[in-house]
Structure formats: structure tokens, C-alpha cells
């Protein structure tokens, strides 16, 4: 009987202890675009389009990219900057909420490959074969709207010192 009373007491303690706890709410993190430079699309040395860029240089930034962002303006992009030129087949859309066009750029700043309309949350690796030192992510539709192709070069300047 003594064990039964102890069990009831234990259950009552749990019930009353839990009632006083307020439900925890998790606030979503809002990640905003941080302009760190400008990128220029050039055709025969004439600028055909300029966009603001956020630079991706650290390992952490490369792993997260545009994950968890709900939007990006059409005049913005994220530029992945690597130390060397090689194929970059590691891109995918895990936790990425917006469809993207990916533009692969070699060390000479020539566009070497384009993947259009990568779909949100798709974890399938995005195929890429040409060596690239830079990868630019822009909103899906950007490549078609501004007629971006492999005859266009890029240049960029950073605001970092």
C-alpha cells in the first residue's frame, strides 16, 4: 500500500510540475541580405547588368549558402568564392526556400556553365562538369530575363577591405 501511495504522489507531482511550464516557442531566424560587393555582367566590355552580391568565403557560409531565406531581390546574388578552379558538384537545395539559377564562372571570369531553376528543398546534387572558381546564385528566371550565357564575362568588386 505504501508503494501505491508513493506512485500516486509521484504522478501528481509530475502533473502539477508540468502544468506550470509555459510552452516554448521557437522564433524563426530572419536572415537578411548583406551587400558585400557588386558584380557586373559584361558583353564586349559593356555592362549589361549590375547586381549587389553577398560573398561566401568560409566553410560555414559555403555549407549554408541561401538556406533558410524566404526571398532575395532580382538585383541581388550570392557569390561563392573558392581558392581554386575545379568542378563544383556539391550544390543542392536543402533548406533553400527560393528557386535559383546557378552560374558557374572560371578563374578567367568567363561563364562556363549554367543550371537554371533549381527547385526549393531538392537535395539532389545539381550536376556541374566544368571547372569553376566562382558560383553565383541568383533568383530563378534571372538567366533568361537578362539573357545570360557563356558569351558573357563577369567582374566584381568587394566592399571588404
Amino acid at each position: 500500500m505504501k508503494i501505491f501511495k508513493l506512485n500516486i504522489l509521484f504522478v501528481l507531482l509530475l502533473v502539477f510540475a508540468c502544468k506550470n511550464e509555459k510552452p516554448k516557442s521557437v522564433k524563426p531566424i530572419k536572415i537578411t541580405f548583406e551587400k558585400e560587393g557588386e558584380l557586373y555582367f559584361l558583353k564586349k566590355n559593356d555592362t549589361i547588368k549590375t547586381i549587389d552580391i553577398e560573398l561566401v568565403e568560409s566553410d560555414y557560409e559555403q555549407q549554408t549558402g541561401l538556406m533558410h531565406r524566404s526571398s532575395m531581390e532580382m538585383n541581388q546574388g550570392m557569390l561563392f568564392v573558392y581558392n581554386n578552379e575545379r568542378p563544383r558538384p556539391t550544390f543542392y537545395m536543402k533548406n533553400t526556400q527560393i528557386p535559383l539559377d546557378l552560374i558557374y564562372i572560371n578563374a578567367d571570369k568567363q561563364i562556363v556553365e549554367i543550371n537554371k531553376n533549381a527547385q526549393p528543398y531538392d537535395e539532389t546534387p545539381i550536376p556541374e562538369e566544368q571547372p569553376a572558381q566562382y558560383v553565383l546564385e541568383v533568383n530563378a528566371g534571372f538567366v533568361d530575363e537578362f539573357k545570360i550565357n557563356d558569351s558573357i564575362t563577369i567582374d566584381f568588386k568587394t566592399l571588404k577591405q
Side-chain angles (χ1 to χ4, degrees), residues 11-30:
V11 170
L12 288 173
L13 284 172
L14 283 176
V15 168
F16 287 111
C18 291
K19 281 189 174 182
N20 291 335
E21 284 187 33
K22 293 183 180 177
K24 295 179 181 177
S25 63
V26 178
K27 293 182 181 179
I29 298 170
K30 181 163 174 72

Side-chain angles (χ1 to χ4, degrees), residues 29-105:
I29 298 170
K30 181 163 174 72
I31 304 170
T32 58
F33 181 84
E34 183 180 337
K35 181 179 177 177
E36 297 176 303
E38 293 179 341
L39 184 136
Y40 312 97
F41 292 91
L42 308 168
K43 190 164 192 164
K44 298 181 183 175
N45 294 325
D46 289 331
T47 302
I48 60 171
K49 180 68 178 162
T50 301
I51 63 170
D52 295 335
I53 54 171
E54 186 170 337
L55 298 171
V56 174
E57 298 169 303
S58 73
D59 288 340
Y60 175 77
E61 291 171 331
Q62 289 172 3
Q63 292 170 11
T64 57
L66 287 169
M67 287 182 179
H68 308 292
R69 299 189 192 204
S70 58
S71 66
M72 182 170 62
E73 299 295 323
M74 194 58 103
N75 66 335
Q76 296 175 332
M78 181 169 273
L79 183 65
F80 290 74
V81 179
Y82 297 97
N83 293 328
N84 57 23
E85 182 181 85
R86 67 176 181 79
R88 305 280 170 200
T90 56
F91 282 78
Y92 58 94
M93 299 291 288
K94 180 179 180 179
N95 296 322
T96 304
Q97 301 174 25
I98 52 178
L100 299 172
D101 289 346
L102 283 79
I103 303 168
Y104 299 85
I105 303 153

Side-chain angles (χ1 to χ4, degrees), residues 147-161:
K147 298 175 179 44
I148 305 300
N149 57 54
D150 61 4
S151 70
I152 293 173
T153 60
I154 65 114
D155 197 8
F156 63 90
K157 68 176 182 181
T158 66
L159 303 175
K160 291 183 176 183
Q161 309 223 337

